[in-house]
Amino acid sequence: MTWISALVSVADRGSRVGQAALGLRGLVLGAPLLRRQSAAGSGDGWGHVVVEPREPWFVRGHAADLGSVTVAYERQGAGEPVVLLHGLGSHRLAWDTVVPLLSGQREVLTMDLPGFGQSPDLDPGMPRDLDTAVLWLTSVFAALGVERPHVVGHSLGGLIALRLGQAGLVRSVTAIAPAGFWTSAERRYAYAVVNAARQGVRLLPGPALEVLVRTAPAHAVLTGTLYGQADLCPPHAVAAALRTLRSSVAFKATLEAGRAPGLFTGDIPDMPVTIAWGTRDRLLPPRQAVRARAMIPNARLVPLPGCGHVPMLDAPDLVAQTILHATEPGKPSWPGSNPAEGR
């Protein structure tokens, strides 16, 4: 495969770095996206990434017969409450480019799912299926004092958001490239990519990772799978994505739970549902959006032109506009729209 050749060209095939490089194409279903700021006078064409140090709050939900679940979260803005859920191997920082564009008009809550970011993992005896996720998230919403919020999810988070909508527990659903609408072959491909990424980053020493992502061939390969506009993803952000993937303790168990058949079946009647998909998504191809809308015929399908699997970095303004439109106060259920193009 060409991506193997590209990485091997910048790392010794026989070294530990070279072996790890072979597994780094996929990165993660929802990479952490850090605010980019140009660096005046820098010799680095990428600029620099500004990471504003901050500590989250923690909230504990109590679901009947499940015990308690603790999640790290952040909350800002005012207006209609909107909860943002990240993808596999990511955390709440995935939304950092979008939150400032929403918080002037909405109350925005971002959270780390259990076992990702700074949230502790679920208790070992707690099931990791989607029905259980709906239960504990509902308890977390109650603990936060948020009644039927709008929910926006990316990839894994998009699938969870759809299930919350099906249970009638939210005001609206916006699912960005939601997982679960794949064929068996597409699921095997996506799993091969993310498993290879996980294996690679666990083998690669930290200093070698920083060096590798700064080489042009490796950067092109690593960003090309997830982003439609790879030039917007500086090496620092790529390295941060891989480090987050490595530290996601719930990665393996969550991926295994995703093998269950029928992750989403049925419809979501009488509720506004938006399904947004990048037209250049290489991990979960946009043809899956058509299957999602066939399942939810009243959903509004929004193509995200030029965007890859993680559109929050490719086009944060477009993502924010999509969310604001979907969460407009008092918006009724809408008829479906035409299927997305760019398949």
Side-chain angles (χ1 to χ4, degrees), residues 114-304:
F116 299 98
Q118 292 176 271
S119 291
D121 201 5
L122 298 174
D123 290 338
M126 187 176 294
R128 206 173 289 268
D129 58 89
L130 288 164
D131 289 337
T132 302
V134 168
L135 290 174
W136 67 253
L137 268 169
T138 304
S139 74
V140 168
F141 294 163
L144 289 169
V146 179
E147 183 178 356
R148 297 186 70 244
H150 301 277
V151 175
V152 180
H154 170 244
S155 201
L156 167 65
L159 175 59
I160 294 173
L162 289 170
R163 291 291 295 265
L164 284 164
Q166 196 169 47
L169 299 170
V170 298
R171 304 184 196 190
S172 72
V173 174
T174 304
I176 302 173
F181 294 95
W182 43 46
T183 64
S184 296
E186 288 167 346
R187 183 189 62 77
R188 288 194 298 270
Y189 166 76
Y191 273 38
V193 168
V194 296
N195 273 316
R198 171 78 165 179
Q199 179 65 15
V201 75
R202 288 168 68 89
L203 289 174
L204 195 62
L209 172 63
E210 301 291 341
V211 172
L212 184 64
V213 298
R214 286 187 168 277
T215 64
H219 183 275
V221 169
L222 292 168
T223 58
T225 300
L226 287 188
Y227 303 104
Q229 301 182 54
D231 60 322
L232 295 180
C233 189
H236 310 74
V238 180
L242 296 173
R243 288 193 298 270
T244 301
L245 175 61
R246 177 165 50 197
S247 65
S248 297
V249 298
F251 177 88
K252 184 177 179 180
T254 303
L255 205 61
E256 186 61 32
R259 297 180 184 275
L263 293 175
F264 184 90
T265 58
D267 193 4
I268 307 179
D270 304 320
M271 178 179 296
V273 176
T274 298
I275 298 172
W277 222 291
T279 61
R280 297 180 64 184
D281 192 331
R282 299 179 181 90
L283 189 66
L284 300 181
R287 59 179 173 266
Q288 296 179 20
V290 180
R291 298 178 198 141
R293 186 173 176 271
M295 190 82 67
I296 312 167
N298 285 330
R300 176 172 175 264
L301 196 56
V302 179
L304 304 174

Side-chain angles (χ1 to χ4, degrees), residues 326-339:
T327 60
E328 185 178 338
K331 180 177 289 296
S333 298
W334 43 52
S337 58
N338 292 327

Side-chain angles (χ1 to χ4, degrees), residues 311-338:
M312 293 87 83
L313 186 63
D314 285 328
D317 289 338
L318 178 58
V319 172
Q321 291 168 10
T322 300
I323 294 171
L324 288 172
H325 179 71
T327 60
E328 185 178 338
K331 180 177 289 296
S333 298
W334 43 52
S337 58
N338 292 327

